[in-house]
Amino acid sequence: MGTAEAKIVVPPTGSVIEVDQATLKAVLGAFEQAEEAIKTHDLDKVMSMYASQYNYHGLKKDDLRTIWKELFEEYQNIASTHLFTKIARVGAGRDAVLEITCTGHLWAKSKTSGLYVPIDSWHEEIHYLVLEDRAWRLRGNLGESPRVLPFGTAPHPLF
């Protein structure tokens, strides 16, 4: 099996894009920069993808730093696929949030076994992004996180 290759796709038909071209370009650019940082194991650049107030089911930005650090220690050729089927802006000005419906996966080659393994996968997850320091950054979920996830649901913190 060859090396993992990152893919960020917005299908030309069937996708609902409710943002202007500049916003779409900025979002795609942010995900591409994150993928490049993952490819080079640049932990600080990966972390720049996350908003300072990141919160996803109780996981904070510092928790993600630990997770990514451990992933970089155990895996090589880490890559993900993102299929964006809806991008919508909710709110305006400083309170604007982008809701991005995404299906994808994160996988890598284990340094221990040499095998490619799945790390994370998601189906129609909604990524919430906020504008922070003039860049769109992942914020996690909106509103209160449930104390317990519904049966059969796993948290998807990374992307």
Side-chain angles (χ1 to χ4, degrees), residues 35-94:
E35 289 295 344
E36 188 58 35
I38 290 167
K39 185 177 180 179
T40 61
H41 289 207
D42 187 332
L43 185 57
D44 289 333
K45 279 194 178 180
V46 170
M47 295 313 299
S48 72
M49 178 66 179
Y50 299 97
S52 58
Q53 297 301 311
Y54 182 87
N55 182 3
Y56 188 88
H57 296 285
L59 292 172
K60 306 289 189 207
K61 190 171 180 175
D62 286 342
D63 300 316
L64 292 187
R65 176 175 284 280
T66 300
I67 292 169
W68 277 113
K69 183 177 183 290
E70 291 172 359
L71 287 174
F72 290 156
E73 290 169 358
E74 175 59 30
Y75 299 100
Q76 56 192 4
N77 300 337
I78 302 171
S80 65
T81 299
H82 297 270
L83 176 66
F84 296 148
T85 54
K86 183 175 181 180
I87 302 176
R89 181 187 300 257
V90 177
R94 293 181 344 166

Side-chain angles (χ1 to χ4, degrees), residues 10 17-18 47 52 57 70 74 78 86 88 90 125 127 133 141 144 146-147 149 151-152 156:
V10 179
I17 308 302
E18 298 174 349
M47 295 313 299
S52 58
H57 296 285
E70 291 172 359
E74 175 59 30
I78 302 171
K86 183 175 181 180
V90 177
E125 179 79 16
H127 299 306
D133 298 326
N141 62 320
E144 295 293 317
R147 290 179 124 312
L149 292 173
F151 180 77
H156 164 66

